[in-house]
Amino acid sequence: MSQLAAARYGKDNIRLYKVHRNQDGMQSVVEMTVCILLEGDIETSYTKADNSVVVATDTQKQTTYILAKQNPVTPPELFAAILGDHFIKTYPHIHAANVSIIQKRWTRMTVDGKPHPHSFYRDSEETRDVSCRAVEGKGLSIHSGINNLLVLKSTGSAFYGFHRDEYTQLPETQDRILSTAVKSGWLWDTFPTLEDVKRQKGKFDEAWEQVRTITMGTFARDSSASVQNTMYKMCDQILAAVPGVQAVDYSLPNKHYFEIDLSWHKGLKNTGKDAEVYAPQSDPNGLIECTVTRKGGKAKL
Ligand SMILES: O=c1[nH]c(=O)c2[nH]c(=O)[nH]c2[nH]1
């Protein structure tokens, strides 16, 4: 009558904190949330109540803590790869492991003009998101990302020349506010083994810095014709700057700020070039997405 068409299971929202204590008294901290989803010969656990094939999700959580104690947890790409590799190597019937990590910000405080050895603050809700899919015999596919980096420019953005018909009300504008919460990702060429990830671990932090720099630099400098065009320019520069990356993706909400006509009050001028007070909108928002590969890469368009 029925068949199991797809299945994976694991532990989500494994919260983890690790401190590194330097000999000189300086400490560093990392906080992350891990999700693990395993695939393999697990069908009978669904169809025949056969729990013998189930690596309990609690075991997956305990494994995460133990491997975090025994290994570096930074860069998150490396820790995700260590976890993924562990599950496919340890259990012969587990053929793929999907590990996602969301790393939160703990930025070192400056106190009395000096970096404080053990105090940190959350300077933004931006996160560093990575995922690793480890497949038996096929290597490790790693996707790195930035999420929730809030940016705004108060001018230097236009939007005109768009398609118009009887459903169109939006006026063209040469000067608008542009604001978004950046979600950006970059897919690395597949790593054949965990050793390859370890050997190249230095490039993950470097790429993350480069993507942030390119994203913010382009956002600030570009005379934006549209979110679409500005994000394409970001992708293009990242592909040029970061070898080993095969695809870059962005998902950008267009956070609208509406002009407010105040002319009803004593003729106050607050529109067009006189606009100063705006109404930020929480919804609805535009949502513009793209993936850019090197020429000749896989494309769906
Ligand atoms: O940069 C933009 N892209 C759009 O597709 C769009 N649509 C819209 O209403 N405003 C904007 N802005």
Side-chain angles (χ1 to χ4, degrees), residues 118-264:
H118 58 249
S119 296
F120 308 86
Y121 68 108
R122 176 73 35 87
D123 61 352
S124 111
E125 288 305 319
E126 178 191 341
T127 55
R128 179 165 168 182
D129 297 3
V130 311
S131 60
C132 172
R133 178 170 165 81
V135 182
E136 212 173 56
K138 295 210 169 126
L140 302 113
S141 170
I142 297 180
H143 183 268
S144 306
I146 288 170
N147 198 5
N148 217 14
L149 167 62
L150 238 66
V151 292
L152 177 147
K153 65 195 289 186
S154 51
T155 188
S157 165
F159 187 59
Y160 56 87
F162 49 87
H163 181 86
R164 300 200 79 86
D165 58 23
E166 71 270 31
Y167 298 103
T168 309
Q169 193 191 29
L170 185 73
E172 300 199 331
T173 178
Q174 305 285 336
D175 185 11
R176 65 175 182 174
I177 293 163
L178 186 59
S179 179
T180 188
V182 176
K183 181 173 185 184
S184 168
W186 50 103
L187 178 67
W188 298 93
D189 293 334
T190 302
F191 297 87
T193 67
L194 178 60
E195 289 316 305
D196 296 297
V197 180
K198 287 185 174 168
R199 215 174 302 121
Q200 298 179 60
K201 70 174 185 206
K203 68 186 195 179
F204 297 115
D205 284 354
E206 200 186 329
W208 177 81
E209 292 280 3
Q210 283 172 299
V211 171
R212 277 182 108 238
T213 303
I214 290 170
T215 299
M216 289 198 266
T218 308
F219 181 81
R221 280 191 289 266
D222 188 37
S223 289
S224 176
S226 63
V227 175
Q228 285 90 331
N229 185 239
T230 300
M231 75 206 292
Y232 183 79
K233 289 178 181 172
M234 293 172 182
C235 294
D236 185 50
Q237 289 175 71
I238 292 165
L239 285 172
V242 192
V245 161
Q246 55 178 261
V248 181
D249 53 89
Y250 275 83
S251 176
L252 301 181
N254 190 3
K255 294 175 164 284
H256 305 302
Y257 287 69
F258 285 178
E259 285 190 6
I260 311 168
D261 185 351
L262 297 176
S263 59
W264 56 272

Side-chain angles (χ1 to χ4, degrees), residues 8-9 36-42 53 55 59-60 63 67 79-99 132-142 190-195 197:
R8 55 187 198 164
Y9 79 103
I36 299 168
L37 287 168
L38 303 181
E39 300 169 34
D41 302 326
I42 54 176
V53 297
V55 178
T59 305
Q60 298 177 34
T63 304
L67 293 188
F79 186 51
I82 289 169
L83 279 169
D85 189 68
H86 169 87
F87 288 109
I88 58 167
K89 296 262 172 71
T90 306
Y91 305 102
H93 72 294
I94 297 298
H95 304 310
N98 304 279
V99 179
C132 172
R133 178 170 165 81
V135 182
E136 212 173 56
K138 295 210 169 126
L140 302 113
S141 170
I142 297 180
T190 302
F191 297 87
T193 67
L194 178 60
E195 289 316 305
V197 180

